[in-house]
Amino acid sequence: METSQEYQVDLHWKEDENAEVSSLLFKDKIQIAAHYCLSHVNDDIWSAEHLFIASVASSYMTAFLRTAKNKGINYKSYKSSIRASVAISDKVSEITDILIRPTIVIIERSQINKTLKIFSLCREHSLVLNSLKIRIHIFPSVVVQ
């Protein structure tokens, strides 16, 4: 069965200010730098590129946690570090690779192999990652506590 869903955000920019993104669904607004990320004009405000990478990280996390729960993995925490490589030329700048280093803390040692297998499945279950046409490298870690 195929269904569809739509997402909407609104962006507002005024002269000499940063942009602000909002959604009817949320009270909070997010400040976004209104300059090219490589110009480093204001390092205190997230750039569109940082938000893009955060979207990749959170989509992968959501896919992992949903799959782990469905497969009966008992986990305590999840964190990840994500890095994007950008190729810059005179004509085009583009993200060429994304490196995701997720770490999951699980309770049962017997679930290590199952947990590692779930990391490999998550890419297909991540809406954002499925939409990308760039190289994505995933190096997971599993910690037992």
Side-chain angles (χ1 to χ4, degrees), residues 13-19 34:
W13 173 82
K14 292 186 212 172
E15 187 177 355
D16 296 328
E17 292 185 18
N18 289 306

Side-chain angles (χ1 to χ4, degrees), residues 4 13 15 32 37 39 45 48 52 55 57 68-69 72 78 80 84 90 108 115 134:
S4 67
W13 173 82
E15 187 177 355
I32 301 174
C37 75
S39 62
I45 297 178
F52 172 75
S55 175
K69 182 178 180 183
Y78 176 100
S80 69
D90 292 337
E108 300 173 36
T115 302
I134 56 179

